[in-house]
């Protein structure tokens, strides 16, 4: 069973439950070679806090001594590991050394007999140098074996390994077929040679195409990925599990892992590491250790690096800043930078999962930041939804101070009096004055010195916007300063944000009749929208977006047909949700597929009657796939969150 508690990008903090307990994901499973325990499983568990490990059932099966012990006392006792044990099947040995002389059924049964928590199918490793035909043929066999494994797995959980080499259509198709099987964990296989060759850009296509086909309610394991340098990017793409043999392999070769690469002990100029394994040791001291002690010290150092980075990845997911961490990490190597740039080409897919707002500000760390879905989402939405109050635009340029309506307060007033709508050319593209306080426009930080790529992109987006929305656009300084037209800046903002956030029809239903705005005395910001005496919306000070009140939700439901903005719950859940309890996945009968995480949502019953309002925690596909977890965080009683 897998459940998501937090998310950012495609990353999730999840909980994977097995019969040997649960682990929080993203997690890494250190590889334990049952023949050489560089660091013992007990140490991995107690000293490092790894709640799960992976070992190789093929190696155990081929060693009479280990086989007998594993079958008599079980893997957990044999390894002295109280946590979760995953086993691999021999596929990797076939990749390294050629054919293995065992069958899939034999390996699955063997893994069951030694008490593995999560066993693995004997999949066929798709090599990157194979033709597409050969790759496709081998996937057919892997799928047959996977189906068989699901039938005979009993109460052992099973890894159904997705293959397909670098062919993204094969990857997606294989993933989709696996999604329909009774699989517990989805490793993405066949990627080790690509990672060894630093082909991270292709790895991005492989992971994204696999994610497209997979079922969101199962954890995804990036099989053979164990370098901390890739964790942030891989987690951002939705990988929940990793495994590392390299911590020990590298240690045996005197190689130390760091977040920015792997370094040879003989080449290092200093041991500038503060991990518990390196504490009190000098570079010279480490070099002079006897080889066994040195290998153990380096292996422990490598494990601390892995553990530290995973903790950091989780923190950044919780803070909604994983993009920032991935961007930092991907600057450690040009091949990673290439991967990050490639991820920007997948923003259509990422947009669906990207939250409409985050707690903290968006940091621009370089031109790659423009590949984030927050940028493409904004650009699409203003083109689709923005309606200018006048047909003339006055252009301003971002000078670093935000929100623009404060930075250019008197200039905005002057041009509005002359019948012009202020539009700021920002790194996001055009920002009409009415929208400037909304996430991520005001909640973002850019360097003062612009780079030409972002500047050019912003300019071309702005040109397209101005041409489609206005009859005329001039520099603000060319607008006459003696205009006398009247306008209500707050009302313009109130409407424009509603239309941006909820669409034209919904917004029209909210802004009917007499409109009164409640404005904060301290900040001058809009707080509530009252329409014909009904409090329909509250604006959040933090992200400048609306919280939908129940009265507003009723207006929308009356005006806009289902399923727009709705999550419908089954009858059993109605009394609970009406009292303000959250909506859990298993009680949802349908959810508007266009809603993204943190979107405002209307919870309705089977007759489309409003029973609550709240915020989406998952997207519709996820809600239908998950058996557990909160789908909508319901706002109780008064309905004012801010
Ligand atoms: N370990 C690393 N890659 C793979 C793979 O593709 N399949 C299996 N079973 N194990 C792996
Ligand atoms: Zn160290």
């Amino acid at each position: 069973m897998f459940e998501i508690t937090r998310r950012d990008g495609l990353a999730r903090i999840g909980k994977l439950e097995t019969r040997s307990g649960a682990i929080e994901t993203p997690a890494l499973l250190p590889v334990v070679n049952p023949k050489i325990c560089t660091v013992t499983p007990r140490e991995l568990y107690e000293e490092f806090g790894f709640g799960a490990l992976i070992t190789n059932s093929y190696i155990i099966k081929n060693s009479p001594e280990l086989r007998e012990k594993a079958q008599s006392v079980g893997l957990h006792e044999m390894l002295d590991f109280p946590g979760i044990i995953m086993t691999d099947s021999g596929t990797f040995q076939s990749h390294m050394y050629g054919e293995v002389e065992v069958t899939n059924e034999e390996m699955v049964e063997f893994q069951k007999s030694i008490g593995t928590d999560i066993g693995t199918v004997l999949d066929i490793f798709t090599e990157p140098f194979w033709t597409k035909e050969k790759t496709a043929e081998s996937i057919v066999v892997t799928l047959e074996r996977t189906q068989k494994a699901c039938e005979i797995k009993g109460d052992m959980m099973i890894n159904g390994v997705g293959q397909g080499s670098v062919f993204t259509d094969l990857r997606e198709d294989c993933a989709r077929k696996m999604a329909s099987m009774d699989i517990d964990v989805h490793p993405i296989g066949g990627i080790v040679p690509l990672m060894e060759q630093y082909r991270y850009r292709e790895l991005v296509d492989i992971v994204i195409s696999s994610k497209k086909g997979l079922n969101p309610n199962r954890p995804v394991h990036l099989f053979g990925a164990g370098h901390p340098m890739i964790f942030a990017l891989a987690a951002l793409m939705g990988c929940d599990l990793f495994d590392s043999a390299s911590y020990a392999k590298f240690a045996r070769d005197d190689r130390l892992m760091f977040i920015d690469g792997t370094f040879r002990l003989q080449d290092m100029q200093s041991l500038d590491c503060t991990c518990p394994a390196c504490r009190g040791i000098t570079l010279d001291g480490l070099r002079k250790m006897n080889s066994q002690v040195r290998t153990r010290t380096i292996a422990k150092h490598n494990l601390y690096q892995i553990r530290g980075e995973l903790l950091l990845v989780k923190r950044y997911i919780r803070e909604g800043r994983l993009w920032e961490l991935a961007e930092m990490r991907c600057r450690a190597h040009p091949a990673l930078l290439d991967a990050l740039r490639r991820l920007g080409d997948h923003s259509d897919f990422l947009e669906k999962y990207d939250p409409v707002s985050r707690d903290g500000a968006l940091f621009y760390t370089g031109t790659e930041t423009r590949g984030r879905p927050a940028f493409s989402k904004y650009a699409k939405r203003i083109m689709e939804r923005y309606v200018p109050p006048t047909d003339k635009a006055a252009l301003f340029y971002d000078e670093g101070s935000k929100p623009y309506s404060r930075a250019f307060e008197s200039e905005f007033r002057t041009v509005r009096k002359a019948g012009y709508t202020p539009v700021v050319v920002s790194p996001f593209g055009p920002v009409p004055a009415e929208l400037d306080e909304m996430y991520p426009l005001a909640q973002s930080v850019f360097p003062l010195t612009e780079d030409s790529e972002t500047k050019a992109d912003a300019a071309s987006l702005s040109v397209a916007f101005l041409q489609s929305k206005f009859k005329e656009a001039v520099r603000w300084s060319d607008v006459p300063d003696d205009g006398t037209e009247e306008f209500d800046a707050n009302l313009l903002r109130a409407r424009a944000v509603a239309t941006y956030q909820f669409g034209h029809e919904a917004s029209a239903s909210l802004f009917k009749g007499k409109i009164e705005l409640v404005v904060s005395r301290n900040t001058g910001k809009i707080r509530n929208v009252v329409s014909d005496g009904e409090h329909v919306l509250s604006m959040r000070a933090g992200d400048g977006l609306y919280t939908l009140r129940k009265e507003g939700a009723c207006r929308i439901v009356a005006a806009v047909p289902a399923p727009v903005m709705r999550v419908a719950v089954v009858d059993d859940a109605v009394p609970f949700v009406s009292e303000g309890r959250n909506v859990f996945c298993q009680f949802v009968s349908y959810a508007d597929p266009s809603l993204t995480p943190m979107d405002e949502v209307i919870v309705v019953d089977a007759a489309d009657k409003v029973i609550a309002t709240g915020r989406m925690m998952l997207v519709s596909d996820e809600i239908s796939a998950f058996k557990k977890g909160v789908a909508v965080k319901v706002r109780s009683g008064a309905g004012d969150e801010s």
Side-chain angles (χ1 to χ4, degrees), residues 535-556:
H535 177 185
V536 288
L537 297 168
S538 301
M539 195 178 267
R540 295 188 291 260
D543 65 5
L545 289 164
Y546 285 119
T547 290
L548 186 59
R549 302 268 309 195
K550 207 165 162 187
E551 292 76 4
C554 292
R555 299 263 190 106
I556 295 174

Side-chain angles (χ1 to χ4, degrees), residues 462-530:
S462 300
V463 168
F465 173 79
L466 293 167
Q467 280 176 347
S468 95
K469 305 280 181 186
F470 294 92
K471 284 204 179 114
E472 184 192 330
V474 298
R475 290 173 62 97
W476 71 270
S477 49
D478 294 336
V479 174
D481 62 3
D482 55 356
T484 55
E485 287 199 29
E486 291 193 7
F487 63 93
D488 180 342
N490 278 341
L491 187 58
L492 291 172
R493 178 187 303 282
R495 269 181 198 277
V497 172
T499 308
Y500 180 90
Q501 197 176 347
F502 306 123
H504 298 284
E505 281 175 289
S507 173
S509 75
L510 296 166
F511 282 79
K512 258 190 343 217
K514 180 163 173 274
I515 305 298
E516 295 159 87
L517 299 178
V518 179
V519 174
S520 158
R521 257 193 233 153
N522 289 334
T523 62
K525 287 188 175 179
I526 300 167
R527 295 190 52 182
N528 300 327
V529 177
V530 180

Side-chain angles (χ1 to χ4, degrees), residues 256-258 271-279 286 297-298 300-305:
L256 284 81
M257 292 166 120
F258 288 94
L271 185 61
D272 39 29
C273 178
T274 57
C275 87
C278 296
R279 199 171 293 152
L286 184 58
T297 306
I298 298 176
K300 285 189 169 190
H301 159 89
N302 291 343
L303 286 167
Y304 280 117
Q305 297 298 311

Side-chain angles (χ1 to χ4, degrees), residues 88-89 91-92 120 123 125 161 163 189-190 192 223:
D88 203 349
S89 57
T91 299
F92 198 68
T120 304
D123 53 313
F125 198 101
V161 188
Q163 293 287 353
V192 170
F223 229 152

Side-chain angles (χ1 to χ4, degrees), residues 74-361:
L75 259 187
H76 289 80
E77 193 177 321
M78 178 174 103
L79 294 176
D80 185 28
F81 188 73
I84 300 167
I85 300 185
M86 181 187 277
T87 45
D88 203 349
S89 57
T91 299
F92 198 68
Q93 281 62 31
S94 73
H95 156 71
M96 296 290 284
Y97 314 112
E99 283 297 296
V100 292
E101 65 306 331
V102 285
T103 67
N104 176 51
E105 278 93 332
E106 220 181 307
M107 283 317 299
V108 175
E109 290 298 351
F110 179 69
Q111 293 175 80
K112 276 165 70 180
S113 77
I114 58 177
T116 299
D117 296 304
I118 309 170
T120 304
V121 176
L122 186 69
D123 53 313
I124 300 175
F125 198 101
T126 48
E127 302 289 349
F129 53 84
W130 285 3
T131 63
K132 192 167 180 179
E133 287 66 36
K134 182 167 177 178
T135 306
E137 282 163 19
S138 81
I139 292 173
V140 174
V141 180
T142 292
L143 286 166
E144 282 166 12
R145 292 182 183 178
T146 308
Q147 180 54 42
K148 185 72 195 174
C150 292
E151 286 159 20
I152 63 175
K153 68 176 183 174
D155 56 7
M156 175 179 77
M157 291 167 83
I158 196 87
N159 271 329
V161 188
Q163 293 287 353
S165 171
V166 294
F167 305 106
T168 52
D169 51 343
L170 297 184
R171 285 277 178 190
E172 188 173 341
D173 186 56
C174 176
R176 190 154 283 125
K177 286 175 176 147
M178 294 225 168
S180 69
M181 297 181 191
D182 186 19
I183 291 168
D184 301 280
V185 177
H186 287 287
I188 297 177
I191 57 163
V192 170
L194 298 171
M195 286 188 299
E196 283 167 354
Q197 296 163 34
Y198 282 64
R199 291 162 68 177
Y200 296 125
R201 183 186 150 97
E202 285 159 284
L203 187 67
V204 167
D205 292 340
I206 289 170
V207 174
I208 297 293
S209 53
S210 304
K211 287 292 284 187
K212 284 181 181 168
L214 289 174
N215 194 332
N217 65 343
R218 296 173 185 162
V220 174
H221 178 166
L222 201 57
F223 229 152
H227 201 295
M229 150 167 124
I230 188 110
F231 293 166
L233 180 69
L236 182 63
M237 295 192 290
C239 297
D240 308 293
L241 298 171
F242 306 94
D243 64 281
S244 177
S246 19
Y247 78 92
K249 277 192 198 157
F250 287 175
R252 287 195 285 277
D253 295 341
D254 285 336
R255 295 209 286 162
L256 284 81
M257 292 166 120
F258 288 94
I259 194 57
D260 52 347
T262 310
F263 302 92
R264 280 175 209 287
L265 183 58
Q266 65 190 64
D267 300 335
M268 287 173 65
Q269 303 295 316
S270 67
L271 185 61
D272 39 29
C273 178
T274 57
C275 87
C278 296
R279 199 171 293 152
I281 297 178
T282 61
L283 186 67
D284 215 35
L286 184 58
R287 285 180 178 150
K288 285 186 181 140
M289 279 176 183
N290 87 45
S291 94
Q292 220 175 349
V293 180
R294 191 171 64 236
T295 299
R296 236 176 89 77
T297 306
I298 298 176
K300 285 189 169 190
H301 159 89
N302 291 343
L303 286 167
Y304 280 117
Q305 297 298 311
I306 286 170
R307 189 179 112 90
E309 181 65 0
L310 271 173
L311 289 173
L312 204 60
V313 164
K314 285 199 253 187
R315 190 184 103 201
Y316 272 79
I317 296 173
R318 290 202 166 91
E319 293 173 352
R321 300 202 300 136
L322 189 61
W323 276 100
E324 274 87 357
L325 183 65
E327 288 173 4
M328 279 189 260
R329 294 305 186 227
C330 286
R331 285 181 165 77
H333 194 284
L336 283 171
L337 187 57
D338 229 357
L340 178 66
R341 289 182 177 167
R342 186 70 185 146
L343 188 59
D345 297 335
H346 293 287
S347 61
D348 272 0
F349 179 65
L350 295 167
E351 272 175 31
K352 211 174 129 181
Y353 301 90
D354 204 56
V356 287
S357 100
R358 292 178 158 87
D359 289 342

